[in-house]
Amino acid sequence: MNNNKIKNDKVEVPSGVSMNDKDYMNSILSCLKEMVKNYAVSLTEVSNEELYNKYKEMFLRYSELQREVYEVMFRKGWYILEKAEDTKINEKYQTLIQEFNSLEG
């Protein structure tokens, strides 16, 4: 077992041309991610306060749903994460610090 993988035991699903539970969950997750992105853009562009509040409500709800679907997929072993090495984290941190500092310039 690779120690850099963060995962649960995989729930096996039937393979073939028909969609299975994993396929449906992937599809739902993709749709929710797109909806969250689109609502984020809408929030930056809407001028009406009432509409802004409604979009914000919907953005938060879809964000929660996206997280719930991800959590189910992770628990079923359908979503695998890779543990980042400390050196990679530090490299990324340094890159972001440099980019931030260049903005202050």
Side-chain angles (χ1 to χ4, degrees), residues 20-98:
N20 55 47
D21 290 347
K22 180 182 174 186
D23 295 330
Y24 284 114
M25 293 296 280
N26 266 325
S27 180
I28 292 168
L29 184 62
S30 293
C31 287
L32 287 168
K33 286 168 130 179
E34 281 301 312
M35 291 172 76
V36 168
K37 288 178 199 174
N38 290 334
Y39 274 107
V41 170
S42 297
L43 284 170
T44 65
E45 296 178 356
V46 68
S47 59
N48 179 286
E49 194 65 27
E50 189 175 331
L51 192 54
Y52 173 84
N53 290 329
K54 186 51 100 173
Y55 282 177
K56 184 177 176 184
E57 218 178 279
M58 294 164 78
F59 169 82
L60 293 172
R61 182 62 187 131
Y62 287 129
S63 295
E64 290 168 2
L65 284 171
Q66 181 270 323
R67 184 65 186 184
E68 289 173 26
V69 170
Y70 160 79
E71 290 290 341
V72 169
M73 292 183 73
F74 183 73
R75 282 193 306 272
K76 291 189 174 282
W78 298 337
Y79 218 100
I80 299 170
L81 304 175
E82 187 172 322
K83 183 178 178 182
E85 297 172 14
D86 288 340
T87 54
K88 284 186 178 181
I89 294 171
N90 288 331
E91 286 173 11
K92 186 63 174 179
Y93 176 75
Q94 291 304 319
T95 300
L96 292 172
I97 290 294
Q98 288 173 354

